[in-house]
Amino acid sequence: MVFLSLVRWTRNRGPDRYWRVQEVLKHARHFRGRKNRCFRLAIRAVHRAFVYATKARRAKMRYMRKLWINRIAGACREHGLKYPALMHNLVKTQIALNRKVISDLAIYEPKTFKSLAALAKRRREEGFLVALGDGKEPEGIFSRVVHHH
């Protein structure tokens, strides 16, 4: 479409508005009542639904973090450690694993988790330099030790 004047171009909003309305109604199809047919009602309902969805995603992240912490804490107790001691000493030994990965290790790879717990125990008892010892990791663990000069 070629418009010779700006006035005709600004007034031509039909197709754009149509697709905008269809996009909103697409998200509202499963709603009950007139909210899934009437644009005016649908746009409010869709906006509210998106707000709830955003809040639910944030809540899910919080819930999953709590779950991972509980799993790690339970596995720590089996090895005679407390959760804060494990996490603090893993950070001090430069092991950069997040809570999700550590909880998965605790469930699916108990031997690897046991070696992580052993490393954290050694770090707690002896300190950073002595925990590294001769530079060899405990059996069953693979890591890359970074030396800072």
Side-chain angles (χ1 to χ4, degrees):
M1 253 181 176
V2 177
F3 296 104
L4 300 176
S5 68
L6 183 65
V7 175
R8 292 191 186 270
W9 180 76
T10 55
R11 292 183 63 188
N12 182 33
R13 294 176 189 262
D16 296 338
R17 184 160 195 270
Y18 172 81
W19 293 114
R20 182 174 157 255
V21 168
Q22 292 310 306
E23 184 70 22
V24 170
L25 290 176
K26 180 181 78 175
H27 291 296
R29 283 290 171 238
H30 65 282
F31 294 166
R32 297 180 69 185
R34 282 196 306 158
K35 288 188 299 249
N36 67 11
R37 295 184 300 277
C38 298
F39 177 71
R40 196 175 201 176
L41 300 174
I43 197 161
R44 290 183 208 152
V46 167
H47 183 267
R48 189 176 306 120
F50 285 164
V51 169
Y52 284 141
T54 304
K55 286 182 182 177
R57 281 197 308 275
R58 302 282 182 264
K60 181 183 176 185
M61 288 179 211
R62 284 193 301 269
Y63 178 77
M64 292 306 293
R65 182 182 165 93
K66 285 180 185 178
L67 179 67
W68 297 329
I69 289 173
N70 283 335
R71 286 177 175 173
I72 296 169
C76 284
R77 278 185 233 114
E78 289 179 5
H79 300 292
L81 268 176
K82 290 188 177 178
Y83 169 79
L86 175 87
M87 295 308 287
H88 175 74
N89 289 308
L90 287 181
V91 168
K92 290 294 183 184
T93 51
Q94 298 176 349
I95 295 176
L97 294 175
N98 60 19
R99 286 162 182 81
K100 178 184 178 183
V101 171
I102 295 174
S103 76
D104 284 345
L105 287 176
I107 295 169
Y108 301 113
E109 306 249 352
K111 289 182 179 177
T112 308
F113 184 82
K114 183 179 179 181
S115 64
L116 283 176
L119 192 68
K121 271 186 182 177
R122 265 197 357 210
R123 168 65 182 90
R124 186 181 64 178
E125 292 164 3
E126 302 166 2
F128 179 65
L129 295 175
V130 182
L132 288 178
D134 56 354
K136 294 181 182 174
E137 289 87 2
E139 205 172 313
I141 184 169
F142 305 102
S143 70
R144 190 166 36 111
V145 178
V146 179
H147 295 286
H148 295 286
H149 298 289

